[in-house]
Amino acid sequence: MIQYKRFTLANGLRVLVHEDHSSPMATVNLCYYVGARDESPERTGFAHLFEHLMFSGTKAAPNFDAPLQMAGGENNAFTNNDITNYYNVVPAENLEVALWLESDRMHNIRFSEKKLDVQRKVVVEEFKETCLNEPYGDVWHHLAELAYKVHPYRWPTIGMVPEHVSEASLEDVQAFYDKYYQPNNAVLIVAGKVDTDKVEVLVEKWFGHLPSGPLIERVLPPEPPQQALQQRILKAQEPADALYLGFHIPSRVDRDYYGVDMLSDILGNGPSSRLYRRLLKDKELFSAIDCYVSGSIDPGLLIIEAKPVEGINNQQARAAIWEELELLKREGVNTRELEKVKNKVESTLIFSELSVLNKAINLAFFEILGNAELINQEAQLYRKITGKELQNLAQRIFVEDNCSEVTYEAALEEAVAEV
Amino acid sequence: MPAPPPIFPVSHIELPDFEQHLLANGLPCYHINRGTQDLVRIEFICWGGRPYEKHPLVARTTAALLKEGTRRHTGSAIAEQFDYYGAHLSVPFQMDTGNLAMHCLNKQLPEILPFFIEILCEPALRQTDLQAYLKRKQQSLKEDLSKAEVVAYRNITEHFFGADHPYGYNSSPEAYADLQQEWLVEHHYRCFHAGNGFAIVSGRFDEATSSYIHGELARIPNRAAVPINTLTIAEQTPGKIVIPHVQGGQAAIRIGRRLFSRTHPDANGCYVLANLLGGYFGSRLMENIREDKGYTYNISAGYDSFRWGGTFQIDTEVSPEYVQETLQEIRHEIARLRDELIEEEELQMLRNYLMGSFLTMVDGPFNWAETVRTLLTEQLGKTDLAALIRTVQDISPEEIQRLAQRYLQDEDLWTVVVGP
C-alpha cells in the first residue's frame, strides 16, 4: 500500500507527496504530459530532442547539473510515446535544491543556437548508437510503421530519420516549450525521506508563482482496426535471422490491459513460461525468445521477439510460435498456470516498492492517466482476472489480421523488400 | 523567483554493519537485515571464478548450467517451482567468484530454499544440457561480435593482461567447442562448497526465518579451500590498434591501461581521478566531448577492480568523422589532469557528488548487499570503504595531479579503435 497526499496548485500543477523514511534520499519527479505522439510527422523525434534541451541552463543556474551534483544528487530523464519524465534523487537535506532547479527550468530556460546545435548532434549520435550499432536496433522503426498507419505511434520516440532531428529550429523549440512545459500540463511527485507539510510549503514557494499555460487539446487520429497481416522482410547485415510479431492490444487504461499483460507473462516471462520452456528449451528452436506489452496510453502492441538457432529458418520459427498461440486460444490456461502468473505479479509489485524512485515514477504515470490511486488497485485488478477472460482475450488478439511481422534474414547485401 | 536555496554537503555516511554468522558447516553467512518489505535475497559466493579455472570458460559455464537441473529434478521442474512461487533464481556473473542467487517473498521461502540448496550441491551438469547451452552461446557470441564496442572491449582487456590470463582471455567458438562435461563436474566439486566461499542474506527477516535459513545453508558440504592459480601477466608495450568493422554506424573507442586491485595504496585516489575524468555527467570528458562538441551520446572513464588486479578505461562510440577529434580531445583532457591543478569548486562538486553516490549504496537492503559483496569479494571490509570515503573528502589537488602524472602518461595507455 503506497500512501500519499495529493494537492493541486492554483496554476494547475498536480502534486503528490509520498513519505518513505527508510531511505536517506528525497526524490523529485516531474512528469510532463507530452511525448512522441504529440509531434508533427515532419518533425519526429522532437519531444526527445527537447528533453535534451531541458538541460540547457537558465540565468540562475547556467548549468543544470552543477548545483545538483554539488548537492550530492543524481538526475536523468526519459521520453516515450506519451510522456517526458524528469527525475532527481538527492540527499534528503537538499530536497529544496531539486525543487528550485525543476521550477527554474519549467519557466526560465534560455535556448541558444549553440546548445541546440550540440544536442542535435548528440541525439543523432544516440540514434546511431541505439538504432544502427545494435543488431536489430531499427526493429521499432519497421514494426511501428507496419502496425500504425494513421496514429502517431507509427514513428519511434528517437525519430523516424536523423534528418528530422538535425532540421529542428530554435523557433520549434521555443514554441514546444511554451505549449507543453507548463504547470497545468505536469505532475510533480516528491517522495522519500520528506515531511509532507514541509513539502507543501516548499512546492508553493517554488512553483506557486509560475503562470499557467494554455489548455492543451489533444486530438489524435485513432488507428482503425487492422484488416490484414502486415509483413516486412529485411535482408540486412545482421548476424543471424530474427522474427518480431506485433499484435494490437487495448490501451493501458483499459481493464483488458491487465489480462493482456498476464498473457504476455504466460507466454514469455520467466524460465517456465510457454514460449521459453517449450520452444527454446524443449524443442531448441531459438537462442532467445521474449514476449512483452508496450503499455501505452493509446492502444499499444504485444510483441513477441524470437531468434531462431542456426538451421531453423524464419518460416519454421513463425510456425512454432503460431502453434503455441493457437494452443492458448484453443485450450486456454490451466488453474495452476493462472495462479502462477498471479503470484508473479504479486511478488513483482512488492519488489518494485523497494525503490522510492520507482514508486515516484509510477505515481506520476498513474496520475497522468487520471487516477493515482490505481497504483494501489492494480494487484487486485490482476487478481480478479479469470482463465476464461484470458482465453477470450487470446482469441481476440492472436489472429493473423491483427499481426504485424518483421523478419530479418541474415545476408551480406543490404536490401529491403516489402511484401 | 526566490533566491536559490543553500546546498548542504553530505558530511557523514553511516555504514550499516553486516554481521557474520559462522554456520555449523563452516560457511560464513553475512546478514543485512533492513528495509521495508518482507522479502529476502540469498546469494552464495565461492572462489570459483576465472582465476580458479583449470580450463578457459569453465567457471561461467558451470555456473550457468546449475539452473539446468539436479540429480533429482529437471531444469523444467526447477523453473516451474521458482516461477510458481514468484521467486527468482539467477547466476550473477563475477570475474573472481562463482555465484548463485535467489530472491522471494519470505512466506515462500520454505518452498524455494530447499531447491536452491539442491541446485547448489547436486547439479546434474548433463552433457545434453551442455550441448544445448553451447549452441545458444555460440549464437549470442556471433551477435556480440557484430558490435564494435564488444570487439573493442575484448581487444583492450586482452592487451592489458595477455590472452591467457584469467582477466584477459576471451571466449571463442573454438574454446566453447572444446569444453568437456567432466571439467564442469570437477570445477563444481572443487569450488562450490562451504569451505570455499560465503553467503549473504539480505532483506527483512525475523529470528525464526534467520535460523531456518541457517539450517538450510548448513547443509552445504564442506571441502578443502581452493588455491589460486599462478597468474602470469604477458607484458606488452602499449600502442594503438585499429580494427576495421563494417557493422553499425559508429566507431567504438577504448583507451586505458592495467592498474591494480583495491589493496594498492593508490587505489582510492585513482577512483577519484577516474571519476573526475569520466565518472559522472559533469565530468571533464562529458562536458567537453558531449556537452560542448556533440561528438557522442555518451563517454565515460572508470577504474574497475578485481581481487587480483584492476583496469582504468575510457570508452565511447562516435561517428567515423569524429574519431580523430575525439581522440585528440581525450588526450587533451588527460594532459590537463597531469598539467593543471583542479580548481577548488570543481573538486568540491566531485566530492559532493561522490558522497551522494555513497549514500545511494546504503539505500535499501539490496544496494547495501551488493556493496558488501564487492567488498568481501575483493577481501576488504567496512574500514576499507570508510577509507575510500575519507579519500574522497580529503584528497588534495596536488595528490590528484601526482596520480595523473604517475598513471596517465600517454605512452602507458592502450588505444583501440574499432569501426568503419
Side-chain angles (χ1 to χ4, degrees):
Chain A
M1 184 73 179
I2 296 173
Q3 290 185 327
Y4 56 87
K5 175 159 186 198
R6 186 183 180 287
F7 57 93
T8 306
L9 301 189
N11 57 20
L13 179 69
R14 287 174 281 166
V15 187
L16 278 77
V17 188
H18 165 62
E19 296 189 19
D20 180 345
H21 293 271
S22 74
S23 166
M25 318 293 280
T27 294
V28 171
N29 187 87
L30 190 52
C31 181
Y32 292 93
Y33 196 14
V34 59
R37 68 174 176 169
D38 298 306
E39 294 160 353
S40 104
E42 289 77 41
R43 279 285 174 276
T44 65
F46 193 85
H48 168 253
L49 170 67
F50 191 87
E51 172 212 312
H52 280 244
L53 292 166
M54 280 295 279
F55 295 83
S56 293
T58 64
K59 190 169 173 231
N63 179 331
F64 178 86
D65 292 282
L68 203 83
Q69 286 160 173
M70 200 54 109
E74 182 88 72
N75 76 93
N76 213 331
F78 63 84
T79 307
N80 64 28
N81 278 319
D82 303 318
I83 57 166
T84 312
N85 189 76
Y86 300 82
Y87 56 88
N88 310 268
V89 181
V90 291
E93 52 271 45
N94 286 325
L95 166 67
E96 196 173 353
V97 177
L99 291 171
W100 160 54
L101 288 167
E102 285 299 352
S103 83
D104 186 34
R105 74 169 165 180
M106 189 187 278
H107 197 65
N108 302 320
I109 295 208
R110 299 194 297 186
F111 303 105
S112 68
E113 281 295 349
K114 154 90 185 165
K115 298 262 185 195
L116 175 59
D117 183 51
V118 167
Q119 291 309 318
R120 278 191 299 231
K121 285 160 80 179
V122 168
V123 171
V124 169
E125 292 304 312
E126 182 178 356
F127 192 110
K128 291 179 179 171
E129 195 171 319
T130 55
C131 302
L132 305 182
N133 286 6
E134 280 296 309
Y136 321 107
D138 59 353
V139 66
W140 198 249
H141 282 85
H142 296 290
L143 206 53
E145 212 170 88
L146 283 185
Y148 295 96
K149 301 301 178 197
V150 300
H151 189 278
Y153 286 172
R154 69 183 188 273
W155 55 82
T157 309
I158 191 79
M160 228 174 312
V161 287
E163 290 71 30
H164 282 185
V165 169
S166 17
E167 285 161 10
S169 73
L170 212 50
E171 294 74 62
D172 297 335
V173 169
Q174 191 65 48
F176 195 84
Y177 186 55
D178 294 341
K179 180 168 179 189
Y180 294 109
Y181 281 72
Q182 301 289 353
N184 49 314
N185 193 45
V187 169
L188 173 68
I189 313 291
V190 182
K193 192 176 178 179
V194 298
D195 177 277
T196 305
D197 294 339
K198 286 186 189 147
V199 170
E200 276 194 66
V201 175
L202 288 174
V203 168
E204 184 58 53
K205 169 179 170 188
W206 288 105
F207 291 88
H209 64 283
L210 301 178
S212 64
L215 277 180
I216 294 160
E217 266 188 73
R218 184 175 276 113
V219 188
L220 300 174
E223 186 65 27
Q226 191 175 314
Q227 302 295 347
L229 173 68
Q230 303 287 306
Q231 283 178 298
R232 186 171 291 183
I233 299 167
L234 302 158
K235 293 185 191 298
Q237 285 185 329
E238 304 297 355
D241 285 3
L243 174 67
Y244 292 80
L245 306 179
F247 297 89
H248 290 277
I249 59 166
S251 126
R252 184 68 178 78
V253 291
D254 194 302
R255 191 181 177 282
D256 279 341
Y257 169 83
Y258 299 96
V260 176
D261 190 30
M262 283 166 80
L263 282 178
S264 76
D265 280 354
I266 285 166
L267 287 170
N269 185 6
S272 77
S273 61
R274 290 182 174 205
L275 296 178
Y276 184 85
R277 181 51 50 186
R278 296 184 193 157
L279 303 188
L280 185 144
K281 286 295 201 176
D282 293 350
K283 297 188 181 166
E284 296 183 14
L285 298 175
F286 297 98
S287 64
I289 194 158
D290 203 1
C291 178
Y292 52 89
V293 291
S294 65
S296 50
I297 293 181
D298 291 325
L301 296 176
L302 175 144
I303 291 144
I304 295 174
E305 52 175 78
K307 290 172 188 158
V309 292
E310 238 169 67
I312 298 295
N313 63 35
N314 278 325
Q315 276 77 2
Q316 294 164 301
R318 179 192 300 114
I321 292 170
W322 272 105
E323 201 183 313
E324 284 299 330
L325 298 179
E326 291 300 338
L327 181 76
L328 185 57
K329 285 158 67 177
R330 207 167 51 241
E331 298 181 3
V333 299
N334 62 46
T335 329
R336 186 179 160 89
E337 209 174 14
L338 185 63
E339 201 49 38
K340 177 168 77 178
V341 285
K342 289 183 176 178
N343 288 342
K344 230 181 158 86
V345 166
E346 183 196 356
S347 81
T348 305
L349 285 174
I350 294 178
F351 268 88
S352 76
E353 287 184 16
L354 265 184
S355 155
V356 173
L357 176 60
N358 217 344
K359 288 189 279 188
I361 292 174
N362 285 336
L363 275 173
F365 184 63
F366 286 120
E367 180 63 23
I368 288 275
L369 289 181
N371 178 12
E373 195 44 33
L374 255 180
I375 202 167
N376 291 319
Q377 294 164 353
E378 287 217 301
Q380 202 48 38
L381 289 169
Y382 280 108
R383 271 268 148 221
K384 275 198 226 148
I385 308 274
T386 64
K388 190 69 202 147
E389 277 176 87
L390 290 183
Q391 189 175 8
N392 289 343
L393 277 170
Q395 287 169 353
R396 213 172 85 205
I397 287 161
F398 298 127
V399 288
E400 211 175 64
D401 288 350
N402 189 39
C403 178
S404 300
E405 179 189 294
V406 175
T407 47
Y408 289 86
E409 286 181 0
L412 284 177
E413 67 279 352
E414 246 187 286
V416 178
E418 188 113 84
V419 178
Chain B
M1 193 80 176
I7 293 174
F8 305 102
V10 178
S11 52
H12 173 73
I13 290 163
E14 189 67 46
L15 297 176
D17 278 320
F18 42 102
E19 41 177 305
Q20 195 209 88
H21 301 250
L22 199 60
L23 307 189
N25 57 348
L27 180 74
C29 177
Y30 297 89
H31 280 203
I32 290 156
N33 193 355
R34 50 212 301 263
T36 52
Q37 313 290 105
D38 288 327
L39 34 85
V40 68
R41 184 177 189 280
I42 299 174
E43 183 165 2
F44 174 83
I45 299 141
C46 66
W47 303 111
R50 282 186 164 200
Y52 305 89
E53 289 175 326
K54 292 190 175 169
H55 306 277
L57 300 175
V58 166
R60 187 181 242 186
T61 309
T62 305
L65 281 193
L66 294 178
K67 291 159 84 173
E68 303 297 325
T70 69
R71 285 166 222 160
R72 287 181 280 154
H73 291 94
T74 62
S76 166
I78 291 168
E80 179 62 30
Q81 183 79 2
F82 274 77
D83 273 355
Y84 183 78
Y85 289 102
H88 188 74
L89 179 66
S90 66
V91 184
F93 175 69
Q94 298 290 316
M95 199 60 111
D96 290 306
T97 54
N99 301 42
L100 187 71
M102 55 149 286
H103 63 247
C104 68
L105 304 183
N106 289 3
K107 63 178 180 185
Q108 315 289 23
L109 209 48
E111 306 293 343
I112 296 301
L113 188 51
F115 267 80
F116 181 76
I117 303 294
E118 189 181 316
I119 294 161
L120 197 56
C121 302
E122 307 167 50
L125 303 171
R126 288 186 194 91
Q127 178 67 27
T128 46
D129 291 324
L130 174 61
Q131 290 316 315
Y133 171 79
L134 294 180
K135 204 158 120 188
R136 292 196 300 274
K137 213 59 207 172
Q138 305 231 22
Q139 183 142 349
S140 62
L141 177 62
K142 209 161 123 188
E143 184 173 326
D144 284 345
L145 290 178
S146 74
K147 303 175 192 170
E149 47 161 342
V150 175
V151 176
Y153 171 78
R154 286 164 59 102
N155 193 282
I156 203 164
T157 46
E158 194 170 301
H159 281 104
F160 291 162
F161 296 99
D164 296 323
H165 192 280
Y167 299 155
Y169 81 74
N170 285 304
S171 60
S172 65
E174 297 75 33
Y176 275 124
D178 281 349
L179 279 173
Q180 303 295 312
Q181 181 240 353
E182 58 266 26
W183 296 350
L184 311 185
V185 174
E186 192 276 338
H187 186 82
H188 173 264
Y189 183 84
R190 190 163 47 90
C191 301
F192 282 76
H193 59 80
N196 192 47
F198 55 93
I200 298 176
V201 180
S202 54
R204 188 173 73 174
F205 43 91
D206 58 17
E207 204 48 51
T209 309
S210 152
S211 55
Y212 171 68
I213 295 171
H214 285 180
E216 285 297 306
L217 290 174
R219 297 201 287 119
I220 302 170
N222 183 319
R223 295 186 280 269
V226 180
I228 176 85
N229 292 336
T230 314
L231 306 180
T232 316
I233 289 167
E235 288 288 355
Q236 300 175 70
T237 311
K240 181 175 172 184
I241 295 149
V242 178
I243 303 171
H245 188 87
V246 287
Q247 281 141 318
Q250 288 174 308
I253 296 174
R254 286 257 171 181
I255 294 178
R257 60 165 296 159
R258 188 178 72 242
L259 275 181
F260 28 65
S261 74
R262 290 268 185 191
T263 50
H264 190 282
D266 283 338
N268 291 342
C270 283
Y271 174 85
V272 178
L273 178 67
N275 275 293
L276 165 62
L277 181 62
Y280 67 127
F281 202 88
S283 69
R284 301 258 176 109
L285 292 174
M286 277 294 265
E287 283 292 331
N288 177 351
I289 293 167
R290 175 179 146 138
E291 289 301 293
D292 187 56
K293 309 287 189 313
Y295 293 156
T296 186
Y297 174 50
N298 197 19
I299 183 163
S300 69
Y303 161 48
D304 283 330
S305 56
F306 312 119
R307 187 174 171 192
W308 310 100
T311 66
F312 163 80
Q313 290 186 62
I314 296 166
D315 78 293
T316 188
E317 288 163 87
V318 301
S319 285
E321 62 267 31
Y322 300 140
V323 168
Q324 290 320 314
E325 287 88 341
T326 303
L327 289 174
Q328 204 179 315
E329 290 304 325
I330 293 173
R331 274 188 224 109
H332 167 71
E333 289 300 341
I334 292 174
R336 268 181 67 207
L337 291 174
R338 291 191 308 255
D339 299 344
E340 297 169 15
L341 287 173
I342 180 175
E343 301 274 342
E344 193 43 51
E345 192 179 339
E346 186 185 7
L347 182 55
Q348 196 55 49
M349 180 168 80
L350 177 64
R351 286 191 216 283
N352 293 359
Y353 170 78
L354 290 175
M355 289 298 282
S357 73
F358 292 137
L359 211 51
T360 308
M361 280 182 193
V362 300
D363 187 4
F366 297 153
N367 284 345
W368 182 231
E370 204 178 310
T371 305
V372 168
R373 177 181 76 184
T374 306
L375 289 174
L376 295 172
T377 301
E378 297 185 32
Q379 302 268 283
L380 304 170
K382 226 171 94 166
T383 49
D384 299 291
L385 182 56
L388 174 63
I389 295 172
R390 250 191 336 272
T391 301
V392 165
Q393 288 180 303
D394 296 347
I395 196 167
S396 66
E398 290 75 18
E399 173 66 358
I400 292 175
Q401 186 180 30
R402 180 191 74 80
L403 292 168
Q405 290 171 351
R406 171 81 179 75
Y407 296 109
L408 301 183
Q409 291 297 337
D410 290 336
E411 60 270 23
D412 295 330
L413 300 173
W414 287 93
T415 300
V416 175
V417 180
V418 180

